[in-house]
Amino acid sequence: MFNKHIYDRLLSTRELGRDLVLLEEVGSTNDWIAQNLGGPGAARLVAVAHRQTAGRGRRGREWVSPPDENLAFSVACRIPAALGAPSPITLVAGVALAEAIADATDAEARLKYPNDVIIGGKKAAGILAELKKTDEAAWAVIGAGVNVNTRAESFPAELRETATSITIETGEPAASEAILAMFLNRLEAWLDGAAKDGVTGAVKRFGELSIPFIGREVTITGAGGERSGVARGIDHDGGLMVEVDAGMVEKFFSGEVTFHQGRESRV
Ligand code: BTN
């Protein structure tokens, strides 16, 4: 069971995550946070679910998260105007989560564009960032599912080749409270930095933490179908630049990225 006292002791934010709501059962924590955006103190809320009955992944997929083994939570943050549109906040969230996992555990956490956390070449956490507007502000609802203490047999057979957990990779149990508090500490610091100086620092950090992808063959699967090419880097606005034809570079802000060569990642 999530221990609020441990979490409170480790949280050092000004605002993010100051009001923690523990939900025994909820459809999706992203929806719960979105429904509470209009209220006062929305920017202080973080919702942690023991069990989600309709957890959602990116691209409309289902997100299955065994209770007591995984961490599922959502938080809302106002999008700093300096981040522009389309917002690279999803990259910033990935950076904060990879850093938090490295802070709180012995796992070597890396990123796969845009924000899957990869440990030992397999996916250990995913982020669903959804943009919402209220009269007061533009918000990003950031939901993350972290495979913290998941046992190998808890993964459905079809995911065992590509999914892992922190405990599988480190051989030790990990504390969800520490991962969440450290994620929020890191996220607030990155967002403050981005509001002041823009997103260049976060994009650079993303490059340092991500599995090597420059020069690799990629396929981007999005709403409009598939596009393949060679990854050339991340632009200053967080877009993935892909050379789709000799000398012709297109920028992608969403979609599923698959890498075709190299052994750094199996996902
Ligand atoms: C992905 O990698 O596809 C993103 C997974 C995001 C899952 C989390 S669990 C908490 C929050 N609530 C949801 O319904 N989804 C996110």
Side-chain angles (χ1 to χ4, degrees), residues 28-30 52 55-58 63 73-74 116 123 126-127 143-145:
S28 154
T29 51
N30 266 35
Q52 290 190 117
R56 286 182 284 116
R58 294 176 61 235
W63 182 262
F73 69 89
S74 301
D116 284 347
K123 177 165 170 170
I127 295 175

